[in-house]
Coordinates of all heavy atoms in Angstrom, one line a residue:
M1 N -15.5 -11.5 17.5 CA -15.0 -10.2 17.7 C -15.3 -9.7 19.1 O -16.3 -10.0 19.6 CB -15.6 -9.2 16.7 CG -15.1 -9.3 15.3 SD -13.3 -9.0 15.1 CE -13.1 -9.8 13.6
S2 N -14.4 -8.9 19.6 CA -14.6 -8.4 20.9 C -14.9 -6.9 20.7 O -14.7 -6.3 19.6 CB -13.4 -8.6 21.8 OG -12.4 -7.8 21.4
K3 N -15.3 -6.2 21.8 CA -15.5 -4.8 21.7 C -14.2 -4.0 21.8 O -14.2 -2.8 21.6 CB -16.4 -4.3 22.9 CG -17.8 -4.9 22.8 CD -18.7 -4.3 23.9 CE -20.1 -4.8 23.8 NZ -21.0 -4.3 24.8
T4 N -13.1 -4.6 21.9 CA -11.8 -3.9 22.0 C -10.9 -4.1 20.8 O -9.9 -3.5 20.7 CB -11.0 -4.4 23.3 OG1 -10.8 -5.8 23.2 CG2 -11.8 -4.1 24.5
V5 N -11.4 -5.0 19.8 CA -10.6 -5.2 18.6 C -11.5 -5.1 17.4 O -12.6 -5.7 17.3 CB -9.9 -6.7 18.7 CG1 -9.2 -6.9 17.4 CG2 -9.0 -6.8 19.9
L6 N -11.0 -4.4 16.4 CA -11.7 -4.3 15.1 C -10.8 -4.8 14.0 O -9.6 -4.4 14.0 CB -12.0 -2.8 14.8 CG -12.5 -2.4 13.4 CD1 -13.9 -3.1 13.2 CD2 -12.6 -0.9 13.3
V7 N -11.2 -5.7 13.2 CA -10.4 -6.2 12.1 C -11.2 -5.8 10.8 O -12.4 -5.9 10.7 CB -10.3 -7.7 12.1 CG1 -9.5 -8.3 10.9 CG2 -9.6 -8.1 13.4
Y8 N -10.4 -5.3 9.8 CA -11.0 -4.8 8.6 C -10.2 -5.2 7.3 O -9.0 -5.4 7.4 CB -11.3 -3.3 8.6 CG -10.1 -2.5 9.0 CD1 -9.3 -2.0 8.0 CD2 -9.7 -2.3 10.3 CE1 -8.1 -1.3 8.3 CE2 -8.6 -1.5 10.6 CZ -7.8 -1.0 9.6 OH -6.7 -0.3 9.9
G9 N -10.8 -5.2 6.2 CA -10.2 -5.4 4.9 C -9.9 -4.1 4.2 O -10.6 -3.1 4.5
I10 N -9.0 -4.1 3.3 CA -8.6 -2.9 2.6 C -8.6 -3.2 1.1 O -8.0 -4.2 0.7 CB -7.2 -2.4 3.0 CG1 -7.1 -2.1 4.5 CG2 -6.7 -1.2 2.2 CD1 -5.7 -2.0 5.1
A11 N -9.2 -2.3 0.3 CA -9.1 -2.4 -1.2 C -8.7 -1.1 -1.7 O -9.3 -0.1 -1.2 CB -10.4 -2.9 -1.7
S12 N -7.8 -1.0 -2.7 CA -7.4 0.3 -3.2 C -7.0 0.3 -4.7 O -6.7 -0.8 -5.2 CB -6.2 0.8 -2.4 OG -5.1 -0.1 -2.5
Y13 N -7.0 1.4 -5.3 CA -6.5 1.6 -6.7 C -5.3 2.5 -6.5 O -5.4 3.6 -5.9 CB -7.6 2.2 -7.5 CG -7.1 2.5 -8.9 CD1 -7.0 1.5 -9.8 CD2 -6.8 3.8 -9.3 CE1 -6.5 1.7 -11.1 CE2 -6.3 4.0 -10.6 CZ -6.2 3.0 -11.5 OH -5.7 3.2 -12.8
N14 N -4.2 2.2 -7.1 CA -3.0 2.9 -6.9 C -2.3 3.3 -8.2 O -2.5 2.6 -9.2 CB -2.0 2.0 -6.1 CG -2.5 1.6 -4.8 OD1 -2.4 2.3 -3.8 ND2 -3.2 0.5 -4.8
Q15 N -1.6 4.4 -8.2 CA -0.8 4.8 -9.3 C 0.6 5.1 -8.8 O 0.8 5.6 -7.7 CB -1.4 6.1 -9.9 CG -2.7 5.9 -10.5 CD -3.3 7.2 -11.2 OE1 -3.1 8.2 -10.6 NE2 -3.9 7.0 -12.3
A16 N 1.6 4.8 -9.7 CA 3.0 5.1 -9.4 C 3.7 5.5 -10.7 O 3.3 5.2 -11.8 CB 3.6 3.8 -8.8
K17 N 4.8 6.3 -10.5 CA 5.6 6.8 -11.7 C 7.0 6.3 -11.4 O 7.6 6.5 -10.4 CB 5.5 8.3 -11.8 CG 6.3 8.8 -13.0 CD 6.1 10.3 -13.2 CE 6.8 10.7 -14.5 NZ 6.6 12.1 -14.8
L18 N 7.6 5.8 -12.5 CA 9.0 5.3 -12.5 C 9.7 6.1 -13.6 O 9.2 6.1 -14.7 CB 9.0 3.8 -12.7 CG 10.4 3.2 -12.9 CD1 11.2 3.3 -11.6 CD2 10.3 1.8 -13.3
S19 N 10.8 6.7 -13.3 CA 11.5 7.4 -14.4 C 13.1 7.4 -14.0 O 13.5 7.4 -12.9 CB 11.0 8.8 -14.5 OG 11.2 9.5 -13.4
D20 N 13.8 7.5 -15.1 CA 15.3 7.7 -15.0 C 15.7 8.5 -16.3 O 14.8 9.1 -16.9 CB 16.1 6.4 -14.8 CG 16.0 5.5 -16.0 OD1 15.5 5.9 -17.0 OD2 16.5 4.4 -15.8
D21 N 16.9 8.5 -16.6 CA 17.4 9.3 -17.8 C 16.8 8.8 -19.1 O 16.7 9.6 -20.1 CB 18.9 9.3 -17.8 CG 19.5 10.0 -16.6 OD1 18.8 10.9 -16.0 OD2 20.7 9.8 -16.3
T22 N 16.5 7.5 -19.2 CA 16.1 6.9 -20.5 C 14.7 6.4 -20.5 O 14.2 6.0 -21.6 CB 17.0 5.8 -20.9 OG1 16.9 4.8 -19.9 CG2 18.4 6.2 -21.0
F23 N 14.0 6.4 -19.4 CA 12.7 5.7 -19.3 C 11.8 6.5 -18.3 O 12.2 6.9 -17.3 CB 12.8 4.3 -18.9 CG 11.6 3.5 -18.7 CD1 10.9 3.0 -19.8 CD2 11.0 3.3 -17.4 CE1 9.7 2.3 -19.7 CE2 9.8 2.6 -17.3 CZ 9.2 2.2 -18.4
S24 N 10.5 6.6 -18.7 CA 9.5 7.2 -17.8 C 8.2 6.5 -18.1 O 7.8 6.4 -19.3 CB 9.4 8.7 -18.0 OG 8.4 9.2 -17.1
A25 N 7.5 6.0 -17.0 CA 6.2 5.4 -17.2 C 5.3 5.5 -16.0 O 5.9 5.6 -14.9 CB 6.4 3.9 -17.5
N26 N 4.0 5.5 -16.2 CA 3.1 5.5 -15.1 C 2.5 4.1 -15.0 O 2.2 3.5 -16.0 CB 2.0 6.6 -15.4 CG 2.4 8.0 -15.3 OD1 3.2 8.3 -14.5 ND2 2.0 8.8 -16.3
F27 N 2.3 3.7 -13.8 CA 1.8 2.3 -13.5 C 0.5 2.4 -12.7 O 0.4 3.3 -11.8 CB 2.8 1.5 -12.8 CG 4.1 1.2 -13.6 CD1 5.1 2.1 -13.5 CD2 4.1 0.0 -14.3 CE1 6.3 1.8 -14.3 CE2 5.3 -0.2 -15.1 CZ 6.3 0.6 -15.0
N28 N -0.4 1.6 -13.1 CA -1.7 1.5 -12.4 C -1.9 0.1 -11.8 O -1.5 -0.9 -12.4 CB -2.9 1.8 -13.3 CG -2.8 3.2 -13.9 OD1 -2.5 4.2 -13.1 ND2 -2.9 3.3 -15.2
G29 N -2.5 0.0 -10.6 CA -2.7 -1.3 -10.0 C -3.7 -1.3 -8.9 O -4.1 -0.3 -8.4
F30 N -4.1 -2.5 -8.5 CA -5.0 -2.7 -7.4 C -4.3 -3.2 -6.2 O -3.4 -4.1 -6.4 CB -6.2 -3.6 -7.9 CG -7.0 -3.0 -8.9 CD1 -6.9 -3.3 -10.2 CD2 -8.1 -2.2 -8.5 CE1 -7.7 -2.7 -11.2 CE2 -8.9 -1.6 -9.4 CZ -8.7 -1.8 -10.8
G31 N -4.7 -2.8 -5.1 CA -4.1 -3.2 -3.8 C -5.2 -3.9 -2.9 O -6.4 -3.7 -3.1
Y32 N -4.7 -4.6 -2.0 CA -5.6 -5.3 -1.0 C -4.8 -5.4 0.3 O -3.5 -5.3 0.3 CB -6.0 -6.7 -1.5 CG -4.9 -7.6 -1.8 CD1 -4.3 -8.4 -0.8 CD2 -4.3 -7.6 -3.1 CE1 -3.3 -9.3 -1.1 CE2 -3.2 -8.4 -3.3 CZ -2.7 -9.3 -2.3 OH -1.6 -10.1 -2.6
G33 N -5.5 -5.6 1.4 CA -4.8 -5.8 2.6 C -5.7 -6.1 3.8 O -6.9 -6.3 3.6
I34 N -5.2 -6.1 5.0 CA -5.9 -6.3 6.2 C -5.4 -5.4 7.3 O -4.2 -5.0 7.2 CB -5.8 -7.8 6.6 CG1 -6.7 -8.1 7.7 CG2 -4.4 -8.2 7.0 CD1 -6.9 -9.6 8.0
G35 N -6.2 -5.0 8.1 CA -5.8 -4.1 9.2 C -6.6 -4.5 10.5 O -7.5 -5.2 10.5
S36 N -6.0 -3.9 11.6 CA -6.6 -4.2 12.9 C -6.5 -2.9 13.8 O -5.4 -2.3 13.7 CB -6.0 -5.4 13.6 OG -6.5 -5.6 14.9
R37 N -7.5 -2.6 14.5 CA -7.4 -1.5 15.5 C -7.8 -2.0 16.8 O -8.9 -2.8 16.9 CB -8.4 -0.4 15.0 CG -8.3 0.9 15.9 CD -9.1 2.0 15.4 NE -8.4 2.6 14.3 CZ -8.8 3.7 13.7 NH1 -9.9 4.3 14.1 NH2 -8.1 4.2 12.7
F38 N -7.1 -1.7 17.8 CA -7.4 -2.3 19.2 C -7.3 -1.2 20.2 O -6.5 -0.4 20.2 CB -6.5 -3.5 19.5 CG -5.0 -3.2 19.1 CD1 -4.2 -2.7 20.1 CD2 -4.5 -3.4 17.8 CE1 -2.8 -2.4 19.8 CE2 -3.2 -3.1 17.5 CZ -2.4 -2.6 18.5
K39 N -8.2 -1.4 21.2 CA -8.3 -0.4 22.2 C -7.2 -0.6 23.2 O -6.8 -1.7 23.6 CB -9.7 -0.6 22.9 CG -9.9 0.4 24.0 CD -11.4 0.3 24.5 CE -11.7 1.2 25.7 NZ -11.4 2.6 25.5
L40 N -6.6 0.5 23.6 CA -5.6 0.5 24.7 C -6.2 1.1 25.9 O -7.3 0.7 26.2 CB -4.4 1.4 24.2 CG -3.6 0.8 23.0 CD1 -2.6 1.8 22.5 CD2 -3.1 -0.5 23.2
D41 N -5.6 2.0 26.6 CA -6.1 2.6 27.9 C -6.9 3.9 27.5 O -6.4 4.7 26.8 CB -4.9 2.9 28.8 CG -5.4 3.2 30.2 OD1 -6.4 2.7 30.6 OD2 -4.7 4.1 30.8
G42 N -8.0 4.1 28.1 CA -8.8 5.3 27.9 C -9.3 5.5 26.5 O -9.8 4.6 25.9
N43 N -9.0 6.6 25.9 CA -9.4 6.9 24.5 C -8.3 6.5 23.5 O -8.3 6.8 22.3 CB -9.8 8.3 24.3 CG -11.1 8.7 25.0 OD1 -11.8 7.7 25.4 ND2 -11.5 9.9 25.0
W44 N -7.2 5.9 24.0 CA -6.1 5.6 23.1 C -6.3 4.2 22.4 O -7.0 3.4 22.9 CB -4.8 5.4 23.9 CG -4.3 6.8 24.4 CD1 -4.6 7.3 25.6 CD2 -3.5 7.7 23.7 NE1 -3.9 8.5 25.7 CE2 -3.3 8.8 24.6 CE3 -2.9 7.7 22.4 CZ2 -2.5 9.9 24.2 CZ3 -2.1 8.8 22.1 CH2 -2.0 9.9 23.0
Y45 N -5.9 4.1 21.2 CA -5.9 2.9 20.4 C -4.6 2.6 19.6 O -3.9 3.5 19.3 CB -7.1 2.9 19.5 CG -7.1 3.9 18.4 CD1 -6.4 3.6 17.2 CD2 -7.7 5.2 18.5 CE1 -6.4 4.6 16.2 CE2 -7.6 6.1 17.5 CZ -7.0 5.8 16.4 OH -6.9 6.8 15.4
G46 N -4.4 1.4 19.3 CA -3.2 1.0 18.5 C -3.8 0.5 17.2 O -5.0 0.1 17.0
Q47 N -3.0 0.6 16.1 CA -3.4 0.2 14.8 C -2.3 -0.4 14.0 O -1.1 0.0 14.1 CB -3.9 1.4 14.1 CG -4.4 1.2 12.7 CD -5.1 2.5 12.1 OE1 -5.9 3.1 12.8 NE2 -4.7 2.8 10.9
A48 N -2.6 -1.5 13.2 CA -1.6 -2.1 12.3 C -2.3 -2.4 11.0 O -3.4 -2.9 11.0 CB -1.0 -3.3 13.0
E49 N -1.5 -2.3 9.9 CA -2.1 -2.6 8.6 C -1.0 -3.2 7.7 O 0.2 -2.9 7.8 CB -2.6 -1.3 7.8 CG -3.8 -0.7 8.4 CD -4.3 0.5 7.6 OE1 -3.6 1.0 6.7 OE2 -5.4 0.9 7.9
L50 N -1.4 -4.1 6.8 CA -0.6 -4.7 5.9 C -1.3 -4.6 4.5 O -2.4 -5.1 4.4 CB -0.3 -6.2 6.2 CG 0.4 -7.1 5.1 CD1 1.8 -6.6 5.0 CD2 0.3 -8.5 5.5
T51 N -0.6 -4.0 3.5 CA -1.2 -3.8 2.2 C -0.2 -4.3 1.2 O 1.0 -4.2 1.3 CB -1.6 -2.4 1.9 OG1 -0.4 -1.5 2.1 CG2 -2.7 -1.9 2.8
S52 N -0.7 -4.8 0.1 CA 0.1 -5.3 -1.1 C -0.5 -4.8 -2.3 O -1.8 -4.8 -2.5 CB 0.1 -6.8 -1.1 OG 0.9 -7.3 -2.2
V53 N 0.3 -4.3 -3.3 CA -0.2 -3.7 -4.6 C 0.6 -4.4 -5.7 O 1.8 -4.5 -5.6 CB 0.1 -2.2 -4.6 CG1 -0.4 -1.7 -6.0 CG2 -0.6 -1.5 -3.5
S54 N -0.2 -4.8 -6.7 CA 0.4 -5.3 -7.9 C 0.1 -4.4 -9.1 O -1.2 -4.2 -9.3 CB -0.1 -6.7 -8.2 OG 0.3 -7.7 -7.3
Y55 N 1.0 -3.9 -9.8 CA 0.8 -3.0 -10.9 C 0.8 -3.7 -12.2 O 1.5 -4.8 -12.4 CB 1.9 -1.9 -10.9 CG 1.8 -1.0 -9.7 CD1 2.6 -1.3 -8.6 CD2 1.1 0.1 -9.7 CE1 2.6 -0.5 -7.5 CE2 1.0 0.9 -8.5 CZ 1.8 0.6 -7.4 OH 1.8 1.4 -6.4
K56 N 0.2 -3.2 -13.3 CA 0.2 -3.8 -14.6 C 1.6 -3.6 -15.2 O 2.3 -2.7 -14.9 CB -0.8 -3.1 -15.5 CG -2.2 -3.4 -15.2 CD -3.1 -2.8 -16.3 CE -4.5 -3.2 -16.0 NZ -5.4 -2.6 -17.1
S57 N 2.0 -4.6 -15.9 CA 3.4 -4.5 -16.5 C 3.5 -3.6 -17.7 O 2.5 -3.3 -18.4 CB 3.9 -5.9 -16.9 OG 3.1 -6.4 -17.9
K58 N 4.7 -3.1 -18.0 CA 4.9 -2.2 -19.2 C 6.2 -2.7 -19.8 O 7.2 -3.1 -19.1 CB 5.1 -0.8 -18.8 CG 4.0 -0.2 -18.1 CD 3.4 1.0 -18.9 CE 2.2 1.6 -18.3 NZ 1.8 2.8 -18.7
D59 N 6.2 -2.7 -21.2 CA 7.4 -3.1 -21.9 C 8.2 -1.8 -22.1 O 7.7 -0.7 -22.3 CB 7.1 -3.7 -23.3 CG 6.4 -5.0 -23.1 OD1 6.7 -5.7 -22.2 OD2 5.6 -5.4 -23.9
A60 N 9.6 -2.0 -22.1 CA 10.4 -0.8 -22.2 C 11.7 -1.2 -23.0 O 12.0 -2.4 -23.1 CB 10.8 -0.3 -20.8
T61 N 12.4 -0.2 -23.5 CA 13.7 -0.4 -24.1 C 14.6 0.7 -23.8 O 14.2 1.8 -23.5 CB 13.5 -0.5 -25.7 OG1 14.8 -0.8 -26.2 CG2 13.0 0.7 -26.3
D62 N 15.9 0.4 -23.6 CA 16.9 1.4 -23.3 C 17.8 1.7 -24.6 O 18.8 2.3 -24.5 CB 17.8 1.0 -22.2 CG 18.7 -0.2 -22.4 OD1 18.5 -0.7 -23.5 OD2 19.4 -0.5 -21.5
G63 N 17.3 1.3 -25.7 CA 18.0 1.5 -27.0 C 18.8 0.3 -27.4 O 19.0 0.0 -28.6
E64 N 19.3 -0.5 -26.4 CA 20.0 -1.7 -26.7 C 19.3 -3.0 -26.3 O 19.3 -4.0 -27.0 CB 21.4 -1.7 -26.0 CG 22.3 -2.8 -26.4 CD 23.7 -2.6 -25.8 OE1 24.0 -1.5 -25.3 OE2 24.4 -3.6 -25.8
F65 N 18.6 -2.9 -25.2 CA 17.9 -4.1 -24.6 C 16.4 -3.7 -24.5 O 16.0 -2.6 -24.1 CB 18.5 -4.4 -23.3 CG 19.9 -4.8 -23.2 CD1 20.9 -3.9 -22.8 CD2 20.3 -6.0 -23.7 CE1 22.2 -4.2 -22.9 CE2 21.6 -6.4 -23.7 CZ 22.6 -5.4 -23.3
S66 N 15.6 -4.8 -24.7 CA 14.1 -4.6 -24.3 C 13.8 -5.5 -23.1 O 14.4 -6.5 -22.9 CB 13.3 -5.2 -25.5 OG 13.5 -4.4 -26.6
F67 N 12.9 -5.0 -22.3 CA 12.6 -5.6 -21.0 C 11.2 -5.3 -20.6 O 10.6 -4.3 -21.1 CB 13.6 -5.3 -19.9 CG 13.8 -3.8 -19.8 CD1 13.1 -3.1 -18.9 CD2 14.8 -3.2 -20.5 CE1 13.4 -1.7 -18.7 CE2 15.1 -1.8 -20.4 CZ 14.3 -1.1 -19.5
S68 N 10.6 -6.0 -19.7 CA 9.4 -5.7 -19.1 C 9.5 -5.4 -17.6 O 10.3 -6.0 -16.9 CB 8.5 -7.0 -19.3 OG 7.2 -6.8 -18.8
I69 N 8.7 -4.4 -17.2 CA 8.7 -4.0 -15.8 C 7.3 -4.2 -15.2 O 6.3 -3.8 -15.8 CB 9.1 -2.4 -15.7 CG1 10.4 -2.2 -16.4 CG2 9.0 -2.0 -14.3 CD1 10.7 -0.7 -16.5
K70 N 7.3 -4.9 -14.0 CA 6.1 -5.1 -13.4 C 6.3 -4.9 -11.9 O 6.6 -5.8 -11.1 CB 5.6 -6.6 -13.6 CG 4.3 -6.8 -12.9 CD 3.7 -8.2 -13.3 CE 2.4 -8.5 -12.6 NZ 1.4 -7.6 -12.6
P71 N 6.1 -3.6 -11.4 CA 6.3 -3.3 -10.0 C 5.3 -4.0 -9.1 O 4.1 -4.2 -9.5 CB 6.1 -1.8 -10.0 CG 6.1 -1.3 -11.4 CD 5.7 -2.4 -12.2
K72 N 5.8 -4.2 -7.9 CA 4.9 -4.7 -6.8 C 5.4 -4.0 -5.5 O 6.5 -3.6 -5.4 CB 5.0 -6.2 -6.6 CG 4.5 -7.1 -7.7 CD 4.7 -8.5 -7.4 CE 4.1 -9.4 -8.5 NZ 4.1 -10.8 -8.2
S73 N 4.5 -3.8 -4.6 CA 4.9 -3.2 -3.3 C 4.1 -3.8 -2.2 O 3.0 -4.2 -2.4 CB 4.7 -1.7 -3.3 OG 3.3 -1.3 -3.4
T74 N 4.7 -3.9 -1.0 CA 4.1 -4.3 0.2 C 4.5 -3.3 1.3 O 5.6 -2.9 1.4 CB 4.6 -5.7 0.6 OG1 4.3 -6.6 -0.4 CG2 3.9 -6.2 1.9
A75 N 3.5 -2.9 2.1 CA 3.7 -1.9 3.1 C 3.1 -2.4 4.4 O 2.0 -3.0 4.4 CB 3.2 -0.6 2.8
I76 N 3.8 -2.2 5.5 CA 3.3 -2.4 6.9 C 3.3 -1.1 7.6 O 4.3 -0.4 7.6 CB 4.2 -3.4 7.6 CG1 4.2 -4.8 6.9 CG2 3.8 -3.6 9.0 CD1 5.2 -5.7 7.4
S77 N 2.2 -0.7 8.2 CA 2.2 0.5 9.0 C 1.6 0.1 10.4 O 0.7 -0.7 10.6 CB 1.3 1.6 8.4 OG 0.0 1.2 8.3
I78 N 2.2 0.8 11.3 CA 1.7 0.6 12.7 C 1.6 2.0 13.3 O 2.2 3.0 12.9 CB 2.7 -0.2 13.6 CG1 4.1 0.4 13.7 CG2 2.7 -1.6 13.2 CD1 5.0 -0.3 14.6
G79 N 0.7 2.2 14.3 CA 0.5 3.5 14.8 C -0.3 3.5 16.1 O -0.9 2.5 16.5
I80 N -0.4 4.6 16.7 CA -1.3 4.8 17.9 C -2.1 6.1 17.6 O -1.6 7.0 16.9 CB -0.5 4.9 19.2 CG1 0.5 6.1 19.2 CG2 0.2 3.6 19.5 CD1 1.1 6.3 20.6
G81 N -3.3 6.2 18.2 CA -4.1 7.3 18.0 C -4.9 7.6 19.3 O -4.9 6.8 20.2
Y82 N -5.5 8.8 19.3 CA -6.4 9.2 20.4 C -7.7 9.6 19.8 O -7.8 10.4 18.9 CB -5.7 10.4 21.1 CG -6.5 10.8 22.3 CD1 -6.3 10.1 23.5 CD2 -7.4 11.8 22.3 CE1 -7.0 10.5 24.7 CE2 -8.1 12.2 23.4 CZ -7.9 11.5 24.6 OH -8.6 11.9 25.8
K83 N -8.8 9.0 20.3 CA -10.2 9.3 19.9 C -10.7 10.4 20.8 O -10.8 10.3 22.0 CB -11.0 8.1 20.0 CG -12.4 8.3 19.4 CD -13.2 7.0 19.4 CE -14.6 7.2 18.9 NZ -15.4 6.0 18.9
F84 N -11.0 11.6 20.2 CA -11.6 12.7 20.9 C -13.1 12.5 21.2 O -13.8 11.9 20.5 CB -11.4 14.0 20.1 CG -9.9 14.4 20.0 CD1 -9.2 14.0 18.8 CD2 -9.3 15.1 21.0 CE1 -7.9 14.3 18.7 CE2 -8.0 15.4 20.8 CZ -7.3 15.1 19.7

């Protein structure tokens, strides 16, 4: 590692709600990811993160069909910041 780059891991617990006219459910899941923060000029820094979340599955029915729902999500964020 250098003094200008920081690499870190991410662990999270997440909740999501899915609903429409016939179905509503809350989902819980664990997330993980990796991030990096790097020094730019002066007190400025850049940042990037990648996170992935897998939620527990739920069984559902719409009156005619039965199905299982297992949401997943992946997010990428980038940004710049200023350290005071």
Side-chain angles (χ1 to χ4, degrees):
M1 284 298 155
S2 71
K3 292 184 178 184
T4 60
V5 177
L6 171 69
V7 177
Y8 54 91
I10 301 166
S12 62
Y13 178 76
N14 301 271
Q15 294 181 318
K17 182 175 184 174
L18 174 66
S19 63
D20 66 9
D21 294 339
T22 61
F23 178 78
S24 180
N26 293 318
F27 294 89
N28 301 311
F30 291 96
Y32 59 91
I34 190 166
S36 179
R37 186 175 282 188
F38 45 93
K39 185 171 175 50
L40 298 173
D41 191 35
N43 288 349
W44 290 94
Y45 64 88
Q47 180 172 312
E49 292 182 349
L50 171 66
T51 56
S52 181
V53 179
S54 294
Y55 296 93
K56 288 186 177 181
S57 64
K58 297 244 178 166
D59 294 328
T61 182
D62 67 356
E64 187 176 344
F65 300 101
S66 294
F67 50 94
S68 181
I69 300 173
K70 184 169 176 48
K72 293 182 179 184
S73 68
T74 301
I76 298 172
S77 65
I78 58 172
I80 59 170
Y82 185 83
K83 185 175 178 180
F84 293 95

